[in-house]
Amino acid sequence: MRCYKPTLRYTPVLWCMLLSFILVFASCTNPASNAPASPATPTANEALSGGTETVFDDGVDAFTQVLPNISDANAAMHERGDFLFESQFVPAPASVNPGLGPLFNSDQCSSCHINDGSGRPPLADEQLNSMLFRISIPGTDPHGGPNPVPGFGGQLQQRSVFGVPAEAQVQISYSTTTHSFDDGTTYQLSAPTYSLVNPYIPLPAGVMVSPRIAPPVFGLGLLESIPDSEILNHAGAGSGVPGISGTPNWVWDQTSQTMRLGRFGWKAGQPSLIQQAAGALKEDMGLTNPIFPIESCHGQIQFQAAVDSAQGPEISADQLRDFAGYAQTLAVPARRNVNDPIVQHGELLFKQAQCSACHTPTMTTGENPALPELSNQTIHPYTDLLLHDMGPGLADNRPEFSADGQQWRTPPLWGLGLTQIATGTIRLLHDGRAHSIMEAIMWHGGEAENAKNYVSAMSASDREALIKFLESL
């Protein structure tokens, strides 16, 4: 368990004084020798990625910090959620953290979301740990969502408790190809191939597989506080760029029993953080809860053979609230080097390449009565939370509610430059195939094909400036 780190609660005056010092210091310590001029004019607000809920931490704990202006009651909820997030669950019966399984992917949240950041694919001869596989067959469930695979459900569980067979294992191989920027500089892209092996029963024909690495969990409360109307304003022609048309994903809300705007997950398949948490507890760890009270493997032969002594949900309503509350109250780290002319030039290139048509720099949160700390914040997440066609190269060919097999939700870019420091690695895109920011860019296709080609045509110095800007986020 991480120790709770109380954060200094800044008044507006202190915020301005601190930020002014940081910007002056940055300008003194980052001289731009022979750097290209840029018309971009940085403002104090640009560094505050999470508005007043921004923290100034660029170290290994950058993603683990609580909201700086959090109330005492919500700070207590955050601490309880932090404890649960770090807890290792075990099979029942047990006196501490019982209920794991009988089928599961991991036994604790923090093993997937490394330091509250993203996960990664397994290394050679390593088991899946912070990566999972959604599965389905053609058709839809009663609510228009993915159609579960008979005998396997909607998510592959490759681990199980003693005496219960796991559903299957996954083999991953990569095919590496060499490509060139327009100036002749070469780069490599590694395309993964996934195989499901050793299933406990034969898999039916037509199984669709969608690999997913664990996404970051910081800043999610701010994203949840953005009004639906603001997100929908960017849909369709709202980007203002021909050929780029964000699509909302309308998904099933289990609590309200209605269709709602999805905004969480790689395909925006979840409408709220509490449902996202409930679904992860059930599918990833086999922990039933008030929203999803039935085991994911209910009706499968492994479940029939397992001993299930749990009475009612294995996670209480209060615990579920704390799980979701932990993610809702994680702060966002500040941008760095906003006064660096090379970074400013990279930002200009980012806009000229029309990357900002999907990676929307600025959004505004609405009123959040439950967490007033998150209300009316001007934030810089660099996402529109909408679906975009990313082309056949990144396609999983598996629909999810309104999302088709080539669409993915625009991932937020805030914190991108701290990923390597915070998690110890950098693996990008939905399945972690990209080992660098530039690799991730060059995988873009579909609606982003023109942006990728614009980057390919850049000079080496401009490509470097673009990356420096992205690393400042």
Side-chain angles (χ1 to χ4, degrees):
M1 174 186 175
R2 285 188 298 276
C3 295
Y4 172 63
K5 299 176 181 178
T7 306
L8 178 62
R9 299 181 185 180
Y10 298 102
T11 66
V13 172
L14 282 175
W15 272 107
C16 293
M17 291 174 63
L18 178 58
L19 184 58
S20 297
F21 172 78
I22 289 172
L23 293 178
V24 170
F25 181 79
S27 66
C28 293
T29 56
N30 291 280
S33 176
N34 299 318
S38 168
T41 302
T43 65
N45 190 48
E46 285 188 42
L48 303 181
S49 298
T52 63
E53 302 313 312
T54 304
V55 291
F56 293 89
D57 187 333
D58 59 2
V60 69
D61 294 322
F63 302 155
T64 70
Q65 302 298 319
V66 68
L67 300 174
N69 297 312
I70 196 167
S71 69
D72 290 341
N74 287 333
M77 174 184 67
H78 178 93
E79 288 187 73
R80 295 192 301 270
D82 189 2
F83 178 82
L84 291 168
F85 199 83
E86 297 287 336
S87 295
Q88 184 175 25
F89 285 82
V90 297
S95 58
V96 178
N97 301 332
L100 180 71
L103 300 178
F104 60 100
N105 299 114
S106 183
D107 56 10
Q108 59 186 145
C109 302
S110 58
S111 66
C112 295
H113 304 277
I114 304 168
N115 275 353
D116 295 325
S118 55
R120 60 171 176 79
L123 303 176
D125 300 322
E126 187 179 36
Q127 294 294 315
L128 293 174
N129 192 36
S130 55
M131 185 181 196
L132 57 81
F133 286 77
R134 298 283 168 81
I135 54 176
S136 57
I137 57 175
T140 62
D141 71 5
H143 305 299
N147 195 16
V149 179
F152 292 84
Q155 181 169 310
L156 186 76
Q157 280 94 22
Q158 86 284 358
R159 299 173 65 182
S160 59
V161 300
F162 180 77
V164 176
E167 289 183 327
Q169 301 300 318
V170 178
Q171 288 182 347
I172 307 174
S173 60
Y174 292 91
S175 175
T176 302
T177 54
T178 300
H179 306 262
S180 298
F181 297 109
D182 290 11
D183 64 8
T185 304
T186 60
Y187 62 92
Q188 292 185 323
L189 299 178
S190 295
T193 298
Y194 304 102
S195 302
L196 306 185
V197 298
N198 300 323
Y200 81 104
I201 59 174
L203 285 158
V207 172
M208 297 177 285
V209 176
S210 182
R212 315 278 178 90
I213 62 170
V217 294
F218 65 89
L220 298 186
L222 289 164
L223 297 181
E224 187 171 42
S225 300
I226 300 171
D228 287 2
S229 59
E230 178 155 357
I231 297 171
L232 296 175
N233 282 340
H234 294 274
S239 71
V241 177
I244 295 180
S245 180
T247 302
N249 198 0
W250 297 102
V251 305
W252 180 249
D253 186 320
Q254 184 69 17
T255 301
S256 66
Q257 297 285 293
T258 60
M259 300 298 287
R260 287 182 55 196
L261 177 66
R263 63 180 74 196
F264 299 111
W266 284 104
K267 284 184 179 279
Q270 293 290 358
S272 66
L273 284 175
I274 197 161
Q275 183 162 308
Q276 172 89 343
L281 288 168
K282 173 193 172 186
E283 295 289 346
D284 299 358
M285 295 192 285
L287 297 171
T288 58
N289 54 76
I291 294 180
F292 297 112
I294 300 175
E295 295 281 2
S296 62
C297 59
H298 183 74
Q300 298 178 204
I301 61 173
Q302 311 107 310
F303 184 83
Q304 294 169 357
V307 176
D308 182 19
S309 60
Q311 299 297 318
E314 294 154 336
I315 296 294
S316 70
D318 288 343
Q319 288 176 312
L320 178 58
R321 173 66 261 168
D322 291 342
F323 267 112
Y326 175 67
Q328 288 171 324
T329 52
L330 282 171
V332 181
R335 275 191 61 190
R336 298 148 314 283
N337 303 323
V338 295
N339 269 11
D340 185 329
I342 297 178
V343 170
Q344 294 170 25
H345 182 63
E347 181 175 8
L348 180 64
L349 294 168
F350 181 84
K351 294 174 181 177
Q352 289 176 342
Q354 298 181 335
C355 303
S356 56
C358 302
H359 292 282
T360 305
T362 303
M363 301 283 257
T364 304
T365 67
E367 294 289 339
N368 189 329
L371 291 164
E373 302 93 331
L374 304 177
S375 297
N376 304 314
Q377 297 290 332
T378 299
I379 61 176
H380 304 287
Y382 287 83
T383 177
D384 58 7
L385 296 176
L386 295 168
L387 302 168
H388 291 273
D389 185 336
M390 295 300 292
L394 289 177
D396 67 349
N397 299 310
R398 177 182 179 269
E400 187 172 335
F401 293 101
S402 307
D404 67 29
Q406 291 192 174
Q407 288 180 312
W408 298 98
R409 185 204 69 162
T410 307
L413 298 182
W414 55 11
L416 179 61
L418 296 173
T419 298
Q420 176 80 46
I421 295 171
T423 69
T425 187
I426 182 166
R427 300 297 293 270
L428 303 174
L429 303 174
H430 65 280
D431 55 4
R433 68 178 67 186
H435 295 75
S436 70
I437 296 174
M438 186 55 74
E439 276 189 49
I441 293 171
M442 301 315 291
W443 267 111
H444 282 48
E447 295 177 41
E449 184 76 22
N450 289 338
K452 177 187 71 177
N453 292 338
Y454 190 95
V455 173
S456 183
M458 288 179 182
S459 65
S461 61
D462 278 355
R463 292 196 302 271
E464 181 182 353
L466 175 64
I467 297 303
K468 281 187 175 294
F469 161 68
L470 292 169
E471 289 176 340
S472 80
L473 299 180

